[in-house]
Amino acid sequence: MACCLRLRPPLYQHFNLVSINSKKRIEVSKLSIRNCAANPENAHKLVLEVRERLEKEHNYLPVGKNGRDDEEMILWFLKDRKFSTEEAVSKLTKAIRWHHEFGVSELSEESVKRVAETGKSYVHDYLDVYDRPVLIVEASKHFPEEYERREDEKLCVFLIEKALRKLPDEKEEILGIFDLRGFGMQNADIKFLTFLFDVFYYYYPRRLGEVLFVEAPFVFKPVWQLAKPLVKSYASLVRFCSVKTVMEEYFTAYTIPSTFKE
């Protein structure tokens, strides 16, 4: 019996082996992600695999831009899901359906003109110093009951699409700026703020690089505390800052948005 017992490895060795094997699996997984990112051929194979699965399992989804055969969109969602085809298919299915049902391809300057004329949200003419398109919201001009919520949502999505079209080659993210000067409780709209972050999280993943809350007044703080849990991990992208910070760190004297010029 003693001999048999000595043949069994000590218990601590068993846990060490489990730990080592787990680390190896994690390292292999990370290596696979790096290989796909570094090797366009591997990535393209996964794009084709996802495209074939979407066609086979979800052939009711539309084709074309933002459709089940949009290889650029498929590649982006693969990157977002760390090249997991299973997760990419799941997230893409929802995103493609949403793009179609929301009518993203039908949005135009004319269709959002009425709300856009309020000046409460727009895409800046220039990129920031990091070559990111800039989406600006002047919160004091937003009144939740002034327009139908759907109209505000359409303007939001139209401007996201417009900002993404301004992306330079090799750039992937946009900058969001909320000008909170003059903000009051009459401008508070947690539902719309949640909608905005949800749109980025579910349908435009990893496109929002940073969000600036500029000159946030004391009255905005409780609003943000309520909204923060609802925007999930995107809350970590938020930076509270001053107009001076925006001018000195994000733009040149020539490209600074007119609303922040002194």
Side-chain angles (χ1 to χ4, degrees):
M1 177 67 72
C3 179
C4 292
L5 288 173
R6 281 195 296 273
L7 290 177
R8 296 176 62 187
L11 188 59
Y12 72 86
Q13 287 187 10
H14 169 74
F15 286 119
N16 283 343
L17 286 172
V18 171
S19 177
I20 291 171
N21 288 335
S22 298
K23 289 179 180 177
K24 284 184 177 179
R25 284 196 294 271
I26 293 172
E27 288 172 359
V28 169
S29 175
K30 288 182 178 178
L31 181 61
S32 300
I33 293 170
R34 286 198 295 271
N35 284 343
C36 286
N39 189 331
E41 185 176 342
N42 287 345
H44 186 61
K45 287 180 181 178
L46 292 179
V47 168
L48 293 179
E49 180 182 337
V50 171
R51 178 175 172 171
E52 289 173 3
R53 282 193 58 182
L54 287 172
E55 183 177 358
K56 181 180 180 181
E57 300 170 16
H58 307 282
N59 61 5
Y60 59 88
L61 293 173
V63 296
K65 181 174 173 54
N66 295 323
R68 57 181 165 81
D69 60 346
D70 186 336
E71 295 190 0
E72 183 178 348
M73 184 182 187
I74 292 173
L75 177 59
W76 187 259
F77 274 72
L78 275 168
K79 289 179 179 178
D80 173 59
R81 296 292 89 192
K82 299 180 180 179
F83 291 94
S84 164
T85 56
E86 192 70 33
E87 292 183 17
V89 168
S90 175
K91 197 165 184 178
L92 271 164
T93 301
K94 297 174 184 176
I96 294 170
R97 185 187 299 119
W98 175 83
H99 272 84
H100 177 65
E101 293 175 352
F102 194 87
V104 175
S105 62
E106 300 168 8
L107 297 176
S108 65
E109 295 277 0
E110 187 61 32
S111 68
V112 299
K113 182 179 178 181
R114 198 165 75 98
V115 185
E117 286 178 343
T118 63
K120 62 183 174 181
S121 187
Y122 51 92
V123 174
H124 185 43
D125 292 335
Y126 301 100
L127 307 177
D128 73 354
V129 294
Y130 303 104
D131 289 333
R132 297 177 297 188
V134 182
L135 177 57
I136 299 175
V137 176
E138 296 188 22
S140 63
K141 296 180 180 179
H142 175 68
F143 298 95
E145 304 301 324
E146 186 176 10
Y147 295 98
E148 292 289 335
R149 180 166 299 278
R150 185 70 168 182
E151 291 191 68
D152 284 326
E153 292 175 352
K154 284 183 177 180
L155 175 63
C156 171
V157 174
F158 173 77
L159 292 177
I160 292 173
E161 288 280 334
K162 184 176 181 178
L164 292 177
R165 288 195 295 271
K166 290 172 66 71
L167 279 170
D169 292 340
E170 307 303 321
K171 297 296 180 179
E172 301 176 336
E173 298 176 335
I174 67 177
L175 170 67
I177 300 180
F178 285 76
D179 182 357
L180 294 169
R181 292 172 297 174
F183 175 89
M185 288 308 295
Q186 70 274 15
N187 309 119
D189 194 345
I190 293 177
K191 286 185 178 179
F192 182 75
L193 189 62
T194 305
F195 168 82
L196 173 62
F197 281 97
D198 277 351
V199 164
F200 277 108
Y201 182 82
Y202 293 108
Y203 313 127
Y204 298 94
R206 298 176 62 179
R207 289 301 194 183
L208 188 60
E210 189 176 7
V211 179
L212 305 181
F213 284 168
V214 183
E215 303 288 358
F218 180 78
V219 70
F220 178 75
K221 301 299 174 65
V223 175
W224 175 238
Q225 289 306 310
L226 288 173
K228 191 175 180 179
L230 303 176
V231 302
K232 308 175 184 66
S233 60
Y234 274 54
S236 64
L237 300 179
V238 170
R239 178 187 183 186
F240 285 83
C241 64
S242 64
V243 170
K244 183 179 180 181
T245 299
V246 174
M247 295 177 66
E248 294 180 353
E249 298 185 20
Y250 292 89
F251 298 96
T252 66
Y254 179 72
T255 63
I256 185 76
S258 59
T259 187
F260 297 122
K261 288 183 179 178
E262 294 181 342

